[in-house]
Amino acid sequence: MRHGDGSAHLKHPELNAAAALALDRRDPLAGFAAEFHHPFDADGRKMVYLSGHSLGLQPRSTRAHLERELADWARLGVLGHHQAKHPWIGYHEMLAEPLAELVGARAAEVVAMNSLTVNLHLMMVSFFKPSARRNRVLIEKSAFPSDRYAVVSQLEFHGLDAARHLLEVEPRPGERALRTDDVLSIIEREGAHLAMVLLPGVQYLTGQSLDLAPLIAAARRVGANVGLDLAHAVGNTLLELHDWNADFAVWCSYKYLNAGPGAIGGCFVHERHAHRSDLPRFAGWWGQRKSTRFDMGPEFTAIEGAEGWQISNPPILSAAPLLASLDIFERAGIRRLREKSILLTGFMQQLIEGLLPEQVEIITPGASEERGCQLSLRIAKPAHEAKRCHDRLTAAGVIGDWREPDILRLAPAPLYNSYGDVFTAVDLLSRAIRP
Ligand SMILES: *Cc1c(COP(=O)(O)O)cnc(C)c1O
């Protein structure tokens, strides 16, 4: 059972600007758009920003959060570790509760640290422990390249050959989305040899949101560890990491979490691993038990919970913007955002299907519970002409992104995008396709 996505539908709205305006007037979250900076083009016109899947917009409150840390550093120097308004020693602790709320976890299961791929490596140190018999890793065929590089390099680090030990599941010929049943059958077939399964929350290219609960359960049943890459899911779909029982999850916070380029990433480690001292891990002083950290002794005893995987003291200037953004998420509420997101993306789907039925193929699954906010589009033209449509769309003031060879990704973010944005974007897309 998929949960929480409900069955909200837009009942055949008119496909025009007036309908979009009416939907915006009824949107209880409409006010949040004004809490963000929206990019302008060279002529000073506000652009329609549909690239929150790549880099979220800057909250207006970010600057104050950063300036406070700069001021405390200027005023206090090293004393800021304890005397800053938000003492730096425990700065990351303020992030755990709101992050846990977003990913459906307990605060002790979550930590803000490093960046996504670094966290994936650290998690694999603990949760990819190949044995003579159980030494294969299952990922998806079109996984984000960084994930694939990380997994292959971990295999090689253990002396294993990716050609034999990396398994990749892909959509059936002629299909765009992965089928849950196909992933399940590989997990069952390879069960005795699987050391780890790594799954995306939302697939970055197609926008497909996987039905994670049964996949995680199946992987655990066969004795494999399970990790999740939530880069495109956190702040986008509803997640229940604790109940789903994944071993670990990693994410970045510069996409839907709006924490700025290169912002501090996040990591989840399930509570059942909190007290384990038998797991290998790469240690550093910030994972050392807090009561003895500053005794500067030779013995490492990990903090119980996700914090025990920290290595270095966290970058405060990259964590402050995340705090600004999480405050907005707390006020908007991830469930209300998801409700709006289903309607907003549903509106975009109806517009595209209504206005560009022959010209555009939506490769993202059509059912709201099988996607987040992003729609991935294929423009039915030869590749170089399709790319020119994207260039014209950008010139007309819509920021989406192009993924070679032929995918245009548009992601209306419910926190700062309106139905009007979506209408304008599809209207300009239809002009870009039929100049
Ligand atoms: C964006 C993204 C990343 C980015 O990795 P970094 O380590 O933060 O640079 C990794 N995996 C996926 C699936 C992504 O979408």
Side-chain angles (χ1 to χ4, degrees):
M1 246 286 286
R2 308 300 299 270
H3 70 106
D5 281 355
S7 55
H9 296 292
L10 285 177
K11 297 275 188 281
H12 310 294
E14 300 287 312
L15 301 179
N16 56 39
L21 200 65
L23 289 164
D24 280 324
R25 282 209 204 91
R26 290 207 304 272
D27 172 12
L29 301 177
F32 284 100
E35 297 197 27
F36 289 83
H37 292 284
H38 293 256
F40 287 84
D41 68 12
D43 300 326
R45 287 177 308 168
K46 179 183 166 239
M47 301 187 83
V48 175
Y49 194 80
L50 298 179
S51 280
H53 59 286
S54 194
L55 183 73
L57 290 183
Q58 182 189 139
R60 291 183 180 277
S61 57
T62 302
R63 183 178 294 268
H65 276 77
L66 274 170
E67 281 177 350
R68 186 174 58 221
E69 302 317 323
L70 290 172
D72 281 349
W73 174 25
R75 183 169 64 90
L76 297 163
V78 71
L79 302 180
H81 281 304
H82 293 282
Q83 294 174 20
K85 170 138 193 303
H86 295 312
W88 304 324
I89 281 278
Y91 200 91
H92 66 281
E93 294 167 17
M94 294 188 297
L95 302 165
E97 189 80 51
L99 281 174
E101 171 67 24
L102 287 181
V103 299
R106 312 209 160 137
E109 292 175 314
V110 164
V111 64
M113 61 179 190
N114 313 312
S115 48
L116 190 156
T117 312
V118 171
N119 288 338
L120 177 56
H121 277 295
L122 295 179
M123 289 293 102
M124 286 190 74
V125 167
S126 295
F127 297 105
F128 175 54
K129 296 177 294 169
S131 65
R133 196 169 138 69
R134 198 180 273 287
N135 49 27
R136 298 183 189 165
V137 179
L138 176 65
I139 64 171
E140 28 128 19
K141 178 114 187 171
S142 45
F144 194 79
S146 192
D147 297 37
R148 196 176 191 283
Y149 305 153
V151 170
V152 168
S153 66
Q154 287 275 341
L155 284 166
E156 289 168 353
F157 177 71
H158 287 283
L160 300 167
D161 176 7
R164 287 185 49 222
H165 299 274
L166 182 68
L167 306 173
E168 294 169 286
V169 55
E170 60 186 316
R172 294 185 185 184
E175 296 188 8
R176 295 288 189 164
L178 283 168
R179 293 199 195 191
T180 304
D181 283 347
D182 290 353
V183 187
L184 286 174
S185 26
I186 297 193
I187 290 173
E188 268 140 37
R189 192 185 72 218
E190 295 285 336
H193 303 290
L194 274 184
M196 198 186 96
V197 176
L198 178 65
L199 298 168
V202 172
Q203 216 285 337
Y204 83 101
L205 198 55
T206 65
Q208 178 184 13
S209 164
L210 292 186
D211 192 2
L212 291 171
L215 297 173
I216 294 167
R220 296 199 60 220
R221 218 164 32 239
V222 301
N225 285 333
V226 192
L228 303 175
D229 180 329
L230 303 178
H232 287 259
V234 68
N236 180 14
T237 58
L238 297 181
L239 301 164
E240 296 292 347
L241 293 187
H242 179 82
D243 290 347
W244 290 345
N245 267 318
D247 293 283
F248 72 85
V250 293
W251 60 88
C252 47
S253 46
Y254 46 82
K255 292 171 180 167
Y256 295 110
L257 292 191
N258 313 313
I264 191 168
C267 189
F268 161 91
V269 183
H270 197 278
E271 189 176 60
R272 67 177 173 279
H273 302 301
H275 309 286
R276 290 182 60 181
S277 52
D278 58 316
L279 285 174
R281 77 175 91 198
F282 286 171
W285 72 320
W286 230 249
Q288 165 74 8
R289 196 169 275 180
K290 293 172 198 174
S291 55
T292 54
R293 185 191 285 151
F294 290 99
D295 295 350
M296 301 303 202
E299 300 300 336
F300 176 78
T301 315
I303 303 171
E304 293 179 348
E307 276 184 275
W309 272 267
Q310 293 174 107
I311 293 183
S312 298
N313 75 105
I316 302 301
L317 297 181
S318 129
L322 179 56
L323 196 60
S325 174
L326 290 175
D327 170 65
I328 302 176
F329 272 93
E330 260 184 303
R331 285 184 285 116
I334 187 67
R335 276 161 215 288
R336 291 203 302 161
L337 284 165
R338 178 62 185 154
E339 280 167 25
K340 172 176 172 183
S341 176
I342 290 170
L343 297 173
L344 194 60
T345 295
F347 184 52
M348 186 156 83
Q349 177 183 12
Q350 286 176 319
L351 286 167
I352 292 169
E353 289 173 352
L355 302 177
L356 296 163
E358 306 294 322
Q359 297 84 353
V360 169
E361 176 201 359
I362 301 177
I363 68 163
T364 307
S368 60
E369 62 273 17
E370 291 175 36
R371 66 184 183 210
C373 69
Q374 168 189 330
L375 290 185
S376 301
L377 313 178
R378 257 202 71 244
I379 296 168
K381 285 181 188 280
H384 66 285
E385 283 182 42
K387 172 93 166 59
R388 277 218 298 277
C389 294
H390 171 249
D391 296 341
R392 281 197 291 270
L393 184 65
T394 310
V398 179
I399 307 183
D401 76 8
W402 185 255
R403 280 286 168 268
E404 295 297 345
D406 60 358
I407 305 292
L408 170 62
R409 301 187 299 175
L410 300 178
L415 206 41
Y416 50 74
N417 285 125
S418 64
Y419 294 88
D421 287 343
V422 166
F423 179 80
T424 305
V426 178
D427 185 42
L428 292 173
L429 176 63
S430 73
R431 292 162 207 244
I433 288 175
R434 289 179 290 212

